[in-house]
Amino acid sequence: LQGEQQETNSQLLKSVRMVETPVVFSVTSTQTETYGAGEVVKFPNVISSVDPGFPGWNPATNVFQVPVSGFYFFTTTLYKNDGYSAEFSYTARLETTGGTSVEIDNWREGASYAWYSSTVSSVVECNVAETARVITGTAATIYDCANCHRNQFSGFLILES
């Protein structure tokens, strides 16, 4: 029985293709920014970026360019300090040029002081040179403070294809 288990484990390991090219990025924002609808959210602080000789994260455009075809995990968190206003809403999208779009919706009605954060994550199949970015769906002020890093956008290659 032990020999059969070892053989099964060996076959399983052979069937799983390991990622040969590490691709990772994690970026944040540490300032409050006001955006119009359809604007690319800015993440000027690069926490980590492992993309050996490939385009990867571009801090000038705030867009990630896929260097290796495969399945990627992307996640973004946006933070909102609403103050004492009666209501607010905002949407943002994590989208790729390959057609994938995952939306964050955050809406509140009622007069109270409010702090909100929303996170969306997705596994997406991407081809080389496709891009991923976070854009606003509605006009919004996204809140942060110096060295808080509340607003984040990260991604990594799970499986090459």
Side-chain angles (χ1 to χ4, degrees):
L1 186 61
Q2 187 177 14
E4 287 178 20
Q5 183 63 43
Q6 287 176 340
E7 179 62 27
T8 300
N9 289 346
S10 176
Q11 289 174 353
L12 182 59
L13 287 174
K14 287 178 185 175
S15 69
V16 175
R17 292 188 345 206
M18 300 300 289
V19 172
E20 295 177 17
T21 307
V23 180
V24 176
F25 75 96
S26 182
V27 293
T28 67
S29 174
T30 57
Q31 60 191 24
T32 298
E33 289 275 343
T34 299
Y35 297 94
E39 289 189 53
V40 177
V41 177
K42 298 173 190 169
F43 298 99
N45 305 304
V46 178
I47 303 300
S48 62
S49 183
V50 179
D51 50 4
F54 298 110
W57 179 254
N58 184 334
T61 61
N62 292 286
V63 171
F64 174 76
Q65 184 175 355
V66 174
V68 177
S69 293
F71 291 87
Y72 284 79
F73 177 84
F74 293 112
T75 187
T76 188
T77 298
L78 299 177
Y79 188 75
K80 173 83 172 158
N81 172 356
D82 190 39
Y84 288 100
S85 67
E87 66 178 58
F88 85 93
S89 68
Y90 73 88
T91 61
R93 286 191 310 276
L94 165 63
E95 69 176 23
T96 68
T97 52
T100 299
S101 180
V102 183
E103 196 163 287
I104 294 174
D105 289 309
N106 204 334
W107 181 84
R108 179 186 63 82
E109 183 177 359
S112 66
Y113 196 82
W115 304 70
Y116 295 90
S117 79
S118 296
T119 300
V120 65
S121 302
S122 186
V123 174
V124 181
E125 184 174 13
C126 298
N127 294 311
V128 169
E130 288 184 356
T131 60
R133 63 188 183 161
V134 177
I135 64 168
T136 57
T138 58
T141 298
I142 298 172
Y143 176 80
D144 216 316
C145 60
N147 298 316
C148 292
H149 302 278
R150 289 185 174 118
N151 299 298
Q152 303 175 6
F153 180 31
S154 301
F156 58 88
L157 178 62
I158 299 171
L159 180 67
E160 291 182 43
S161 60

